[in-house]
Amino acid sequence: MSTTQTANKTLEATLTPPTRCKEQRLQQTLSEYRDALEDAFEQDCTSMSATNDVVTPYSLPYQAKDALKSYVPKLHNTYNAKELDDEHPLRFVNRAGKFDRDSSREYEICWNVPQPGRGTNFWIPLRLNPDQQGLWDELLDDESSTKVGELRLQKHRKTWTLHVTVEYEIEDTSELPENPTRVGFDIGESMLVTGCALQRDTPTKPLLINGKGAKRIRKEMFTTLKRLQERDASEWRVEERFSYYQNRLTDLIEKASRESVEYARQFENPVIVMEDLAYIRESLDYGKYMNRRLHSWAFARLQGRIEDKAKDVGIPVRYVHPQYTSKTCHSCKHIGYRPRQAEFRCKNPECHVSTFQADINASANIARRVDPWGESLPWKQAGDDSPQDGSGCDTATTQCEQSETPSQMTLTSFQESKPTASDD
């Protein structure tokens, strides 16, 4: 009998271009909110009552004031913030989550925008992220258990974006299924994702997603942003180019994570296994500022998206320690070496594996490390999108640089290992 647990996800929608009057009202509310936030922060409000005393005089909807009363103390007590970001979004508590749906409209879903005072709210149509249509349907279904949480409204140049946190039910993945098929995923630069399932402890039907596209975009992004900096380009121009490349990288992440989970679903009772990459550092070094900008997409985001999609379809996800996964033979467990980026060679003369595709070898080792052998890391509660060690979600990680040798996909051929006496 399957059990359920809850997970959180953020839905994204873009407000349709508002009329001049609505634009002015949105901008006024955002400016008033940021003034109240700065005032409460500067007065060192560490409790809801202290924050309430500061924000009460401001002309804000009660949903925004209640959000401030919860958020400002967290800035001081939880996040230990030293200063405020200039681009803080306008936050609302869940009571601002009022939506109307009518299939006869061009944009079916409208949001009731909170305003200060009685009878001042107004409706505005939303352009939804099509990949999140299912969760929007559940959110607006009166019989659904999906609940709305905090709302955040952000303006970027002329575009208003609404983020809605929702809590929904998923299948409980805290326990591993009986007779699981362990599916290891190795995340890197040369191969963005390498997947390998273990069936009867044997590597089966590997998945290879090339990382050249992501690497090319990152290099292009670095070159463009550096050139703009050298020319003292305006801040909005730098932000525009940065957002452009981030969107391209995000698209790659979404496609790679979707393909990875579909790969795992083809096996019976799959369990996805990935490395905990918190302690691996990025080999590329473009300086402190550029590293922060270039690496904000991070491989950790790809792992997170794989985990999100896996949980949505009820596939458990586990993390294991990364030590020696790329240098250990998946068959005999002896330490080998990599003469080229995509090639692994075993030093054990008695092992039937002499040469093997290096990323597949690593992903097989990752898969093998999951429980019941006790090497997997503590399980995270559903909806907890923080890294295993509590570090920043966008911690940059990588593996070795890509070899200059061309056609690394065919550098060494993959062969399914046959069980031998040394495997027992």
Side-chain angles (χ1 to χ4, degrees), residues 170-220:
I170 60 172
E171 186 176 343
D172 188 358
T173 59
S174 60
E175 299 293 336
L176 294 181
E178 294 185 9
N179 301 317
T181 301
R182 292 162 285 156
V183 183
F185 286 118
D186 184 36
I187 310 296
E189 277 194 317
S190 297
M191 284 295 135
L192 188 58
V193 180
T194 303
C196 183
L198 293 182
Q199 292 187 321
R200 297 181 297 278
D201 217 31
T202 301
T204 305
K205 299 179 181 178
L207 169 72
L208 293 165
I209 301 178
N210 201 295
K212 289 182 179 179
K215 192 173 183 180
R216 182 173 59 252
I217 293 173
R218 295 178 74 193
K219 183 177 180 180
E220 183 182 332

Short mmCIF file of all heavy atoms in Angstrom, two decimals, residues 170-220:
data_model
loop_
_atom_site.label_atom_id
_atom_site.label_comp_id
_atom_site.label_asym_id
_atom_site.label_seq_id
_atom_site.Cartn_x
_atom_site.Cartn_y
_atom_site.Cartn_z
N ILE A 170 2.67 13.89 -3.01
CA ILE A 170 3.39 12.99 -3.89
C ILE A 170 3.51 11.65 -3.20
O ILE A 170 3.26 11.52 -2.00
CB ILE A 170 4.80 13.53 -4.24
CG1 ILE A 170 5.63 13.68 -2.95
CG2 ILE A 170 4.73 14.82 -5.00
CD1 ILE A 170 7.08 14.02 -3.21
N GLU A 171 3.91 10.65 -3.95
CA GLU A 171 4.10 9.33 -3.37
C GLU A 171 5.29 9.36 -2.43
O GLU A 171 6.32 9.98 -2.71
CB GLU A 171 4.33 8.29 -4.47
CG GLU A 171 4.39 6.87 -3.96
CD GLU A 171 4.52 5.86 -5.10
OE1 GLU A 171 4.23 6.25 -6.24
OE2 GLU A 171 4.92 4.72 -4.83
N ASP A 172 5.16 8.70 -1.28
CA ASP A 172 6.23 8.66 -0.28
C ASP A 172 7.44 7.92 -0.83
O ASP A 172 7.34 6.75 -1.21
CB ASP A 172 5.71 7.97 0.99
CG ASP A 172 6.70 8.07 2.14
OD1 ASP A 172 7.80 8.64 1.93
OD2 ASP A 172 6.39 7.58 3.23
N THR A 173 8.58 8.61 -0.88
CA THR A 173 9.81 7.99 -1.38
C THR A 173 10.87 7.86 -0.28
O THR A 173 12.06 7.76 -0.56
CB THR A 173 10.40 8.82 -2.54
OG1 THR A 173 10.66 10.16 -2.08
CG2 THR A 173 9.44 8.86 -3.72
N SER A 174 10.43 7.89 0.98
CA SER A 174 11.39 7.80 2.08
C SER A 174 11.95 6.39 2.23
O SER A 174 13.02 6.21 2.80
CB SER A 174 10.72 8.24 3.40
OG SER A 174 9.61 7.41 3.69
N GLU A 175 11.23 5.39 1.75
CA GLU A 175 11.70 4.01 1.83
C GLU A 175 12.01 3.49 0.44
O GLU A 175 11.30 3.79 -0.53
CB GLU A 175 10.63 3.13 2.49
CG GLU A 175 10.28 3.54 3.92
CD GLU A 175 11.43 3.32 4.89
OE1 GLU A 175 12.29 2.46 4.60
OE2 GLU A 175 11.47 4.02 5.93
N LEU A 176 13.06 2.70 0.34
CA LEU A 176 13.40 2.09 -0.94
C LEU A 176 12.46 0.92 -1.23
O LEU A 176 12.06 0.21 -0.31
CB LEU A 176 14.85 1.59 -0.93
CG LEU A 176 15.94 2.65 -0.83
CD1 LEU A 176 17.32 1.99 -0.86
CD2 LEU A 176 15.83 3.66 -1.94
N PRO A 177 12.11 0.71 -2.48
CA PRO A 177 11.25 -0.44 -2.82
C PRO A 177 12.03 -1.74 -2.70
O PRO A 177 13.27 -1.76 -2.63
CB PRO A 177 10.88 -0.15 -4.28
CG PRO A 177 12.03 0.65 -4.80
CD PRO A 177 12.48 1.50 -3.66
N GLU A 178 11.29 -2.84 -2.66
CA GLU A 178 11.94 -4.14 -2.66
C GLU A 178 12.55 -4.41 -4.03
O GLU A 178 12.00 -4.04 -5.06
CB GLU A 178 10.93 -5.24 -2.32
CG GLU A 178 10.38 -5.16 -0.90
CD GLU A 178 9.48 -6.35 -0.58
OE1 GLU A 178 9.43 -7.28 -1.41
OE2 GLU A 178 8.84 -6.33 0.48
N ASN A 179 13.71 -5.04 -4.02
CA ASN A 179 14.43 -5.37 -5.26
C ASN A 179 14.54 -4.15 -6.18
O ASN A 179 14.10 -4.17 -7.33
CB ASN A 179 13.72 -6.51 -6.00
CG ASN A 179 13.62 -7.77 -5.15
OD1 ASN A 179 14.57 -8.16 -4.48
ND2 ASN A 179 12.44 -8.40 -5.17
N PRO A 180 15.15 -3.07 -5.69
CA PRO A 180 15.22 -1.85 -6.50
C PRO A 180 16.23 -1.99 -7.65
O PRO A 180 17.19 -2.75 -7.57
CB PRO A 180 15.70 -0.81 -5.50
CG PRO A 180 16.52 -1.59 -4.51
CD PRO A 180 15.83 -2.92 -4.39
N THR A 181 15.97 -1.25 -8.71
CA THR A 181 16.95 -1.09 -9.78
C THR A 181 17.67 0.22 -9.54
O THR A 181 17.07 1.29 -9.64
CB THR A 181 16.27 -1.05 -11.16
OG1 THR A 181 15.54 -2.26 -11.37
CG2 THR A 181 17.32 -0.90 -12.26
N ARG A 182 18.93 0.13 -9.19
CA ARG A 182 19.71 1.34 -8.88
C ARG A 182 20.16 1.99 -10.19
O ARG A 182 20.77 1.35 -11.04
CB ARG A 182 20.91 0.98 -8.02
CG ARG A 182 20.53 0.51 -6.61
CD ARG A 182 21.68 -0.23 -5.95
NE ARG A 182 21.84 -1.58 -6.50
CZ ARG A 182 22.98 -2.26 -6.46
NH1 ARG A 182 24.06 -1.72 -5.95
NH2 ARG A 182 23.04 -3.48 -6.95
N VAL A 183 19.85 3.29 -10.31
CA VAL A 183 20.18 4.04 -11.51
C VAL A 183 21.09 5.19 -11.10
O VAL A 183 20.66 6.13 -10.45
CB VAL A 183 18.93 4.58 -12.22
CG1 VAL A 183 19.31 5.30 -13.51
CG2 VAL A 183 17.94 3.45 -12.51
N GLY A 184 22.38 5.11 -11.47
CA GLY A 184 23.33 6.15 -11.11
C GLY A 184 23.42 7.23 -12.17
O GLY A 184 23.39 6.95 -13.37
N PHE A 185 23.51 8.49 -11.73
CA PHE A 185 23.69 9.61 -12.64
C PHE A 185 24.97 10.36 -12.27
O PHE A 185 25.15 10.79 -11.13
CB PHE A 185 22.50 10.58 -12.57
CG PHE A 185 21.27 10.07 -13.25
CD1 PHE A 185 20.10 9.85 -12.54
CD2 PHE A 185 21.27 9.81 -14.61
CE1 PHE A 185 18.96 9.37 -13.16
CE2 PHE A 185 20.14 9.33 -15.25
CZ PHE A 185 18.98 9.11 -14.53
N ASP A 186 25.85 10.48 -13.25
CA ASP A 186 27.09 11.23 -13.09
C ASP A 186 26.92 12.56 -13.81
O ASP A 186 26.61 12.60 -15.00
CB ASP A 186 28.26 10.43 -13.69
CG ASP A 186 29.60 11.11 -13.46
OD1 ASP A 186 29.78 11.72 -12.39
OD2 ASP A 186 30.47 11.04 -14.36
N ILE A 187 27.12 13.67 -13.08
CA ILE A 187 26.93 15.01 -13.63
C ILE A 187 28.31 15.62 -13.90
O ILE A 187 29.18 15.59 -13.03
CB ILE A 187 26.16 15.92 -12.65
CG1 ILE A 187 24.88 15.22 -12.15
CG2 ILE A 187 25.84 17.26 -13.30
CD1 ILE A 187 23.88 14.94 -13.21
N GLY A 188 28.52 16.16 -15.09
CA GLY A 188 29.82 16.73 -15.40
C GLY A 188 29.74 17.74 -16.52
O GLY A 188 28.65 18.16 -16.93
N GLU A 189 30.89 18.15 -17.02
CA GLU A 189 30.94 19.14 -18.10
C GLU A 189 30.97 18.48 -19.47
O GLU A 189 30.19 18.81 -20.34
CB GLU A 189 32.17 20.02 -17.93
CG GLU A 189 31.96 21.15 -16.95
CD GLU A 189 33.06 22.19 -17.07
OE1 GLU A 189 34.23 21.82 -17.18
OE2 GLU A 189 32.72 23.38 -17.04
N SER A 190 31.91 17.54 -19.67
CA SER A 190 32.01 16.90 -20.98
C SER A 190 30.74 16.13 -21.31
O SER A 190 30.19 16.23 -22.40
CB SER A 190 33.22 15.97 -21.02
OG SER A 190 34.41 16.71 -20.84
N MET A 191 30.32 15.31 -20.37
CA MET A 191 29.00 14.67 -20.44
C MET A 191 28.13 15.34 -19.38
O MET A 191 28.39 15.19 -18.19
CB MET A 191 29.11 13.17 -20.16
CG MET A 191 29.67 12.36 -21.31
SD MET A 191 28.56 12.40 -22.73
CE MET A 191 29.75 12.69 -24.02
N LEU A 192 27.13 16.07 -19.81
CA LEU A 192 26.28 16.77 -18.85
C LEU A 192 25.64 15.79 -17.89
O LEU A 192 25.64 15.98 -16.67
CB LEU A 192 25.22 17.58 -19.60
CG LEU A 192 24.36 18.53 -18.76
CD1 LEU A 192 25.23 19.54 -18.04
CD2 LEU A 192 23.34 19.23 -19.64
N VAL A 193 25.10 14.70 -18.43
CA VAL A 193 24.52 13.63 -17.62
C VAL A 193 24.90 12.29 -18.23
O VAL A 193 24.75 12.09 -19.43
CB VAL A 193 22.98 13.72 -17.54
CG1 VAL A 193 22.43 12.58 -16.68
CG2 VAL A 193 22.52 15.05 -16.99
N THR A 194 25.40 11.40 -17.39
CA THR A 194 25.61 10.01 -17.79
C THR A 194 24.82 9.14 -16.83
O THR A 194 25.02 9.20 -15.63
CB THR A 194 27.10 9.61 -17.73
OG1 THR A 194 27.86 10.50 -18.55
CG2 THR A 194 27.29 8.19 -18.22
N GLY A 195 23.90 8.36 -17.36
CA GLY A 195 23.07 7.49 -16.53
C GLY A 195 23.41 6.04 -16.79
O GLY A 195 23.72 5.64 -17.91
N CYS A 196 23.34 5.24 -15.73
CA CYS A 196 23.62 3.81 -15.87
C CYS A 196 22.82 3.04 -14.84
O CYS A 196 22.92 3.30 -13.64
CB CYS A 196 25.11 3.52 -15.70
SG CYS A 196 25.55 1.80 -15.95
N ALA A 197 22.01 2.11 -15.31
CA ALA A 197 21.22 1.25 -14.42
C ALA A 197 21.99 -0.05 -14.16
O ALA A 197 22.68 -0.56 -15.03
CB ALA A 197 19.87 0.95 -15.05
N LEU A 198 21.85 -0.54 -12.94
CA LEU A 198 22.46 -1.81 -12.57
C LEU A 198 21.37 -2.87 -12.49
O LEU A 198 20.47 -2.78 -11.65
CB LEU A 198 23.19 -1.71 -11.24
CG LEU A 198 24.44 -0.83 -11.18
CD1 LEU A 198 25.06 -0.90 -9.78
CD2 LEU A 198 25.45 -1.25 -12.23
N GLN A 199 21.45 -3.85 -13.35
CA GLN A 199 20.54 -4.99 -13.31
C GLN A 199 21.39 -6.24 -13.09
O GLN A 199 22.30 -6.52 -13.87
CB GLN A 199 19.73 -5.08 -14.60
CG GLN A 199 18.73 -3.94 -14.76
CD GLN A 199 17.81 -4.13 -15.94
OE1 GLN A 199 18.23 -4.58 -17.01
NE2 GLN A 199 16.53 -3.78 -15.77
N ARG A 200 21.07 -6.96 -11.99
CA ARG A 200 21.90 -8.08 -11.55
C ARG A 200 23.35 -7.62 -11.40
O ARG A 200 24.30 -8.32 -11.76
CB ARG A 200 21.79 -9.27 -12.52
CG ARG A 200 20.40 -9.86 -12.60
CD ARG A 200 20.37 -11.05 -13.54
NE ARG A 200 20.70 -10.66 -14.90
CZ ARG A 200 19.82 -10.13 -15.75
NH1 ARG A 200 18.56 -9.91 -15.37
NH2 ARG A 200 20.18 -9.82 -16.97
N ASP A 201 23.49 -6.39 -10.87
CA ASP A 201 24.78 -5.77 -10.60
C ASP A 201 25.60 -5.53 -11.87
O ASP A 201 26.83 -5.43 -11.83
CB ASP A 201 25.59 -6.62 -9.61
CG ASP A 201 26.40 -5.76 -8.66
OD1 ASP A 201 25.94 -4.64 -8.34
OD2 ASP A 201 27.49 -6.19 -8.24
N THR A 202 24.92 -5.47 -13.01
CA THR A 202 25.59 -5.30 -14.29
C THR A 202 25.13 -4.01 -14.96
O THR A 202 23.92 -3.76 -15.04
CB THR A 202 25.28 -6.49 -15.22
OG1 THR A 202 25.71 -7.69 -14.61
CG2 THR A 202 25.98 -6.32 -16.56
N PRO A 203 26.06 -3.15 -15.45
CA PRO A 203 25.65 -1.94 -16.16
C PRO A 203 24.79 -2.25 -17.38
O PRO A 203 25.12 -3.14 -18.18
CB PRO A 203 26.99 -1.32 -16.59
CG PRO A 203 27.99 -1.88 -15.62
CD PRO A 203 27.51 -3.27 -15.32
N THR A 204 23.66 -1.53 -17.49
CA THR A 204 22.68 -1.83 -18.54
C THR A 204 22.19 -0.56 -19.21
O THR A 204 21.88 0.42 -18.54
CB THR A 204 21.47 -2.58 -17.92
OG1 THR A 204 21.94 -3.74 -17.24
CG2 THR A 204 20.49 -3.00 -19.01
N LYS A 205 22.08 -0.57 -20.51
CA LYS A 205 21.45 0.50 -21.31
C LYS A 205 21.83 1.90 -20.84
O LYS A 205 20.98 2.65 -20.34
CB LYS A 205 19.93 0.35 -21.25
CG LYS A 205 19.40 -0.95 -21.81
CD LYS A 205 17.88 -1.02 -21.68
CE LYS A 205 17.32 -2.33 -22.20
NZ LYS A 205 15.86 -2.41 -22.02
N PRO A 206 23.07 2.31 -20.97
CA PRO A 206 23.49 3.62 -20.45
C PRO A 206 22.86 4.78 -21.20
O PRO A 206 22.43 4.66 -22.35
CB PRO A 206 25.01 3.61 -20.66
CG PRO A 206 25.21 2.68 -21.82
CD PRO A 206 24.17 1.61 -21.67
N LEU A 207 22.79 5.92 -20.51
CA LEU A 207 22.29 7.17 -21.09
C LEU A 207 23.44 8.16 -21.13
O LEU A 207 24.14 8.36 -20.13
CB LEU A 207 21.16 7.74 -20.22
CG LEU A 207 20.72 9.17 -20.53
CD1 LEU A 207 19.95 9.22 -21.84
CD2 LEU A 207 19.88 9.73 -19.38
N LEU A 208 23.65 8.81 -22.27
CA LEU A 208 24.70 9.81 -22.42
C LEU A 208 24.10 11.10 -22.98
O LEU A 208 23.56 11.11 -24.08
CB LEU A 208 25.81 9.30 -23.35
CG LEU A 208 26.65 8.12 -22.84
CD1 LEU A 208 27.43 7.49 -23.98
CD2 LEU A 208 27.58 8.57 -21.73
N ILE A 209 24.18 12.19 -22.20
CA ILE A 209 23.72 13.50 -22.64
C ILE A 209 24.93 14.41 -22.72
O ILE A 209 25.54 14.74 -21.70
CB ILE A 209 22.66 14.09 -21.68
CG1 ILE A 209 21.45 13.15 -21.58
CG2 ILE A 209 22.22 15.48 -22.16
CD1 ILE A 209 20.39 13.64 -20.60
N ASN A 210 25.29 14.81 -23.93
CA ASN A 210 26.51 15.57 -24.15
C ASN A 210 26.42 16.95 -23.51
O ASN A 210 25.38 17.60 -23.52
CB ASN A 210 26.77 15.71 -25.65
CG ASN A 210 28.21 16.03 -25.97
OD1 ASN A 210 28.71 17.07 -25.61
ND2 ASN A 210 28.88 15.10 -26.64
N GLY A 211 27.55 17.40 -22.94
CA GLY A 211 27.59 18.69 -22.27
C GLY A 211 28.18 19.82 -23.08
O GLY A 211 28.41 20.92 -22.56
N LYS A 212 28.43 19.57 -24.38
CA LYS A 212 29.06 20.60 -25.20
C LYS A 212 28.20 21.86 -25.30
O LYS A 212 28.71 22.98 -25.31
CB LYS A 212 29.34 20.05 -26.60
CG LYS A 212 30.46 19.01 -26.65
CD LYS A 212 30.71 18.57 -28.08
CE LYS A 212 31.85 17.54 -28.15
NZ LYS A 212 32.08 17.06 -29.54
N GLY A 213 26.88 21.68 -25.39
CA GLY A 213 26.00 22.83 -25.52
C GLY A 213 26.07 23.74 -24.31
O GLY A 213 26.18 24.96 -24.44
N ALA A 214 26.01 23.15 -23.11
CA ALA A 214 26.07 23.95 -21.89
C ALA A 214 27.42 24.63 -21.75
O ALA A 214 27.50 25.81 -21.36
CB ALA A 214 25.81 23.05 -20.68
N LYS A 215 28.48 23.91 -22.07
CA LYS A 215 29.81 24.49 -21.96
C LYS A 215 30.00 25.64 -22.95
O LYS A 215 30.60 26.67 -22.63
CB LYS A 215 30.86 23.41 -22.19
CG LYS A 215 32.27 23.83 -21.82
CD LYS A 215 33.23 22.65 -21.91
CE LYS A 215 34.63 23.05 -21.46
NZ LYS A 215 35.58 21.92 -21.54
N ARG A 216 29.46 25.48 -24.15
CA ARG A 216 29.56 26.53 -25.16
C ARG A 216 28.81 27.79 -24.72
O ARG A 216 29.30 28.91 -24.87
CB ARG A 216 29.01 26.03 -26.49
CG ARG A 216 29.12 27.04 -27.62
CD ARG A 216 28.72 26.44 -28.95
NE ARG A 216 27.35 25.94 -28.94
CZ ARG A 216 27.02 24.65 -28.94
NH1 ARG A 216 27.95 23.72 -28.94
NH2 ARG A 216 25.74 24.29 -28.93
N ILE A 217 27.63 27.60 -24.14
CA ILE A 217 26.85 28.75 -23.68
C ILE A 217 27.57 29.47 -22.55
O ILE A 217 27.64 30.70 -22.50
CB ILE A 217 25.44 28.30 -23.23
CG1 ILE A 217 24.64 27.80 -24.43
CG2 ILE A 217 24.70 29.45 -22.54
CD1 ILE A 217 23.32 27.18 -24.05
N ARG A 218 28.14 28.70 -21.61
CA ARG A 218 28.84 29.32 -20.49
C ARG A 218 30.05 30.12 -20.97
O ARG A 218 30.34 31.20 -20.46
CB ARG A 218 29.25 28.24 -19.49
CG ARG A 218 28.08 27.52 -18.84
CD ARG A 218 28.56 26.43 -17.91
NE ARG A 218 29.11 27.00 -16.69
CZ ARG A 218 29.81 26.29 -15.81
NH1 ARG A 218 30.08 25.02 -16.06
NH2 ARG A 218 30.26 26.85 -14.72
N LYS A 219 30.79 29.56 -21.93
CA LYS A 219 31.94 30.27 -22.45
C LYS A 219 31.52 31.55 -23.16
O LYS A 219 32.13 32.62 -23.00
CB LYS A 219 32.72 29.36 -23.41
CG LYS A 219 33.99 29.99 -23.95
CD LYS A 219 34.75 29.02 -24.84
CE LYS A 219 36.04 29.65 -25.38
NZ LYS A 219 36.79 28.70 -26.26
N GLU A 220 30.45 31.46 -23.95
CA GLU A 220 29.93 32.63 -24.66
C GLU A 220 29.44 33.68 -23.67
O GLU A 220 29.64 34.88 -23.86
CB GLU A 220 28.81 32.20 -25.60
CG GLU A 220 28.23 33.31 -26.45
CD GLU A 220 27.09 32.82 -27.33
OE1 GLU A 220 27.09 31.62 -27.69
OE2 GLU A 220 26.20 33.63 -27.65
#
